[in-house]
Amino acid sequence: MMGISGEFSFLDMVNSATRGKTGVSTKDYTEIWLSPYEVKEAPKNTRQEYKNIDALADAFLLVGQEQPTVLARVNGEYRIVDGHRRNRANILLIERGNEQFNKVRYFYKDMTENMYELSLLAGNGFTQDLTSYEKTELAGRLKKVLEKMRETEEIEIKGTIRDIIGNYIGEKPTQMARIEKINNGLKGEAKEQFREGNMGISAAYETAKLPEEEQKKIAEKVASQEGIKAKEIAALVKERKEAEKQNKKAEEFAKQAEKSLKEARKSEIGAAQASLHAERAAENADQSAGMIIGMNPPIMSDSDTVENGEQTPEEIKQETIFTLQQLLIQAGKITYNELLVLQDILMNCNNRGE
């Protein structure tokens, strides 16, 4: 596993002593002679255009090519890591009839897709004076590949990825935050205007804060004769934020009003339910009172008794019912011994019925 520290180090891929000459150390690379047509340019290189190829070709023809192009062999395919302009100059010389350039000297190393991308970006960062757009793209691509390589455990990263990239491309944390905002937020036509150099990094940063539809309007102004400055875009962003703030307050007020209305309705329902409970309690009280009144023992006349002075069976039944009703009311006060007596009575009644 390759280590990458937060204090600016790409280890095997980058040699700080070569800054200004080549972004890639050729240590552990193998020398090989190939046709310039056999090697492929990076599918997406940070540098958007290649200038002064004619002059470079003339220099090669005059003094030779001192610095070989550096390649990565990825899945058997030779891809340029560092030296796109040099390889184009070689091809131009072949097209002009200079057969000695049919085979030229290269250095190559086997790499994974991720390692190739990282090596390519490392070379771009060292050897070129990048535009604001190109530096922003470089930072975005570095972030993606470093995150991938951390996930696949191809490298071990010490420190934050943002700080590593910031140290590498020479930008402070505040500027790195702006670059990240541009990479994450700038869309469509606005991004194209930034790429073309018609929009500076400050304007791009402010535009990235707006929705895509509004970014399109900004891009149209940038492309037109009117133009628009970063300060004007910042004012638009501020105005929009203030409008969003007011809308948010209005939404919160509406939610609070709705909540209050629900609570008021809940209180009304609670009051209605309480009133209903009270009415039912009163009705139950009246019914209980009537029951108790109805439970008074029947008044026995002298004619209801038998000759020996004992009560008739009907009289005993009525008094038993009354007594049991009273016991139900006092059930919570009955002791265990009294319960046993009642159970004996019940058993005797059951036996007597058989």
Side-chain angles (χ1 to χ4, degrees), residues 35-102:
S35 165
Y37 292 106
E38 289 183 69
V39 303
K40 294 190 176 183
E41 294 186 352
K44 182 182 178 184
N45 197 25
T46 304
R47 175 59 69 188
Q48 300 301 308
E49 58 181 335
Y50 302 98
K51 298 178 180 179
N52 303 319
I53 301 300
D54 285 352
L56 185 60
D58 291 340
F60 285 176
L61 193 59
L62 182 63
V63 299
Q65 182 177 337
E66 296 180 1
Q67 182 64 49
T69 296
V70 180
L71 308 175
R73 188 167 65 179
V74 183
N75 299 323
E77 181 178 82
Y78 291 100
R79 301 181 190 174
I80 299 174
V81 173
D82 182 65
H84 286 79
R85 291 179 67 249
R86 295 193 290 275
N87 205 63
R88 287 197 176 194
N90 292 150
I91 291 173
L92 179 59
L93 288 167
I94 294 172
E95 291 173 351
R96 288 177 176 176
N98 298 285
E99 296 183 1
Q100 67 269 35
F101 290 93
N102 284 338

Side-chain angles (χ1 to χ4, degrees), residues 43-236:
K44 182 182 178 184
N45 197 25
T46 304
R47 175 59 69 188
Q48 300 301 308
E49 58 181 335
Y50 302 98
K51 298 178 180 179
N52 303 319
I53 301 300
D54 285 352
L56 185 60
D58 291 340
F60 285 176
L61 193 59
L62 182 63
V63 299
Q65 182 177 337
E66 296 180 1
Q67 182 64 49
T69 296
V70 180
L71 308 175
R73 188 167 65 179
V74 183
N75 299 323
E77 181 178 82
Y78 291 100
R79 301 181 190 174
I80 299 174
V81 173
D82 182 65
H84 286 79
R85 291 179 67 249
R86 295 193 290 275
N87 205 63
R88 287 197 176 194
N90 292 150
I91 291 173
L92 179 59
L93 288 167
I94 294 172
E95 291 173 351
R96 288 177 176 176
N98 298 285
E99 296 183 1
Q100 67 269 35
F101 290 93
N102 284 338
K103 291 281 186 180
V104 294
R105 182 167 167 254
Y106 295 91
F107 286 112
Y108 83 93
K109 184 177 183 180
D110 287 312
M111 296 185 189
T112 64
E113 289 281 357
N114 288 334
M115 190 60 74
Y116 169 62
E117 171 77 351
L118 187 54
S119 298
L120 175 69
L121 297 175
N124 288 168
F126 265 159
T127 61
Q128 304 180 25
D129 294 326
L130 303 177
T131 65
S132 295
Y133 173 81
E134 289 168 348
K135 185 173 283 191
T136 301
E137 282 286 290
L138 173 61
R141 289 174 63 188
L142 275 171
K143 180 181 178 183
K144 287 181 181 178
V145 72
L146 287 174
E147 287 176 341
K148 283 182 182 178
M149 295 180 79
R150 179 173 60 185
E151 289 173 5
T152 57
E153 297 184 348
E154 290 180 70
I155 57 173
E156 179 183 357
I157 296 177
K158 299 176 182 178
T160 66
I161 289 178
R162 179 194 281 189
D163 289 343
I164 291 171
I165 297 171
N167 288 333
Y168 174 57
I169 65 176
E171 295 292 354
K172 295 180 180 179
T174 51
Q175 186 71 350
M176 285 303 300
R178 288 156 65 93
I179 286 173
E180 281 195 4
K181 181 63 179 178
I182 292 170
N183 277 326
N184 294 332
L186 199 64
K187 308 293 182 183
E189 289 90 338
K191 190 171 185 178
E192 181 63 21
Q193 290 300 319
F194 181 43
R195 188 186 73 81
E196 292 294 330
N198 299 327
M199 182 184 290
I201 194 165
S202 296
Y205 169 66
E206 295 297 341
T207 304
K209 298 176 184 177
L210 295 168
E212 189 169 355
E213 192 58 37
E214 293 186 37
Q215 289 189 30
K216 186 176 180 180
K217 295 177 182 178
I218 297 293
E220 289 171 356
K221 285 190 175 183
V222 171
S224 70
Q225 295 295 328
E226 305 178 51
I228 187 168
K229 296 179 180 178
K231 288 183 179 180
E232 296 176 280
I233 302 172
L236 288 174

Side-chain angles (χ1 to χ4, degrees), residues 335-352:
T335 65
Y336 179 72
N337 290 333
E338 290 169 339
L339 175 61
L340 293 176
V341 172
L342 291 173
Q343 289 176 343
D344 287 339
I345 294 172
L346 178 60
M347 189 179 295
N348 289 336
C349 292
N350 288 334
N351 292 333
R352 195 175 298 126

